[in-house]
Amino acid sequence: MSLLDPSRAQRYMEIALEEAAEAALRGEVPVGAIVVDGASGEILAADGNRTEELRDATAHAEMLVLREAAKIHGGGRLLGCDLYVTLEPCAMCAAAISFARIRRLYFGAIDAKGGAVESGPRFFDQPTCHHRPETYGGIDEIRASTMLREFFQVRR
């Protein structure tokens, strides 16, 4: 799909990248995400990975912002909301995105090993998927990929 509003997507991805950078400073894999109310443009939630800090394998950036946005939005179905994340979501996060009824998913870097949107199981293409968001990949992909590559180079 072609991007609806590239400048808006870029602005929101910049915020997600800032969250990813903060995650890296905490020693987390640098992935950041935000949930935006599609009608008002209000950012409902922003966070980065916290799996190490919380000792919780489900504390991916996407899961954290979906939970927080649900509290603010008044329920688990985030109808009309968009998710921006710096890395292609994994299967767990893709399922949560589907169940939350996210309107549009924007992501940065492809995750050839763990991704489940354009890579791997392609969760939204499965016949058992209840809701398929509009999906736009490659938003600021080079910056997101570089941040991840540099993070892992330091640790190897």
Side-chain angles (χ1 to χ4, degrees):
M1 282 187 185
S2 63
L3 200 55
L4 297 174
D5 183 349
S7 64
R8 183 176 179 179
Q10 185 62 45
R11 277 194 318 271
Y12 289 129
M13 188 58 75
E14 180 66 36
I15 297 165
L17 285 162
E18 290 170 10
E19 292 293 336
E22 289 178 25
L25 292 174
R26 294 190 303 270
E28 302 279 356
V29 174
V31 177
I34 67 170
V35 173
V36 177
D37 182 300
S40 70
E42 176 187 3
I43 297 172
L44 300 177
D47 211 339
N49 276 357
R50 292 185 184 273
T51 58
E52 299 299 323
E53 174 188 339
L54 299 176
R55 294 189 170 122
D56 179 355
T58 69
H60 291 193
E62 301 97 306
M63 301 295 285
L64 296 171
V65 297
L66 290 172
R67 289 177 190 140
E68 185 61 27
K71 291 177 194 173
I72 294 166
H73 201 258
R77 291 196 175 164
L78 300 170
L79 302 171
C81 292
D82 301 331
L83 174 67
Y84 293 78
V85 61
T86 59
L87 182 64
E88 176 185 4
C90 69
M92 172 184 69
C93 293
I97 290 164
S98 177
F99 290 136
R101 305 297 194 265
I102 288 293
R103 178 180 72 161
R104 294 186 184 113
L105 166 65
Y106 299 88
F107 68 89
I110 294 289
D111 185 355
K113 290 182 181 178
V117 176
E118 291 185 6
S119 306
R122 296 180 176 248
F123 186 88
F124 302 131
D125 293 340
Q126 300 305 312
T128 55
C129 180
H130 299 292
H131 171 77
R132 294 162 183 79
E134 291 178 32
T135 302
Y136 304 92
I139 313 294
D140 219 340
E141 181 175 14
I142 292 172
R143 284 180 58 202
S145 296
T146 300
M147 190 181 301
L148 286 158
R149 187 172 44 259
E150 289 174 354
F151 176 84
F152 286 113
Q153 281 175 345
V154 168
R155 278 146 184 81
R156 289 184 181 137

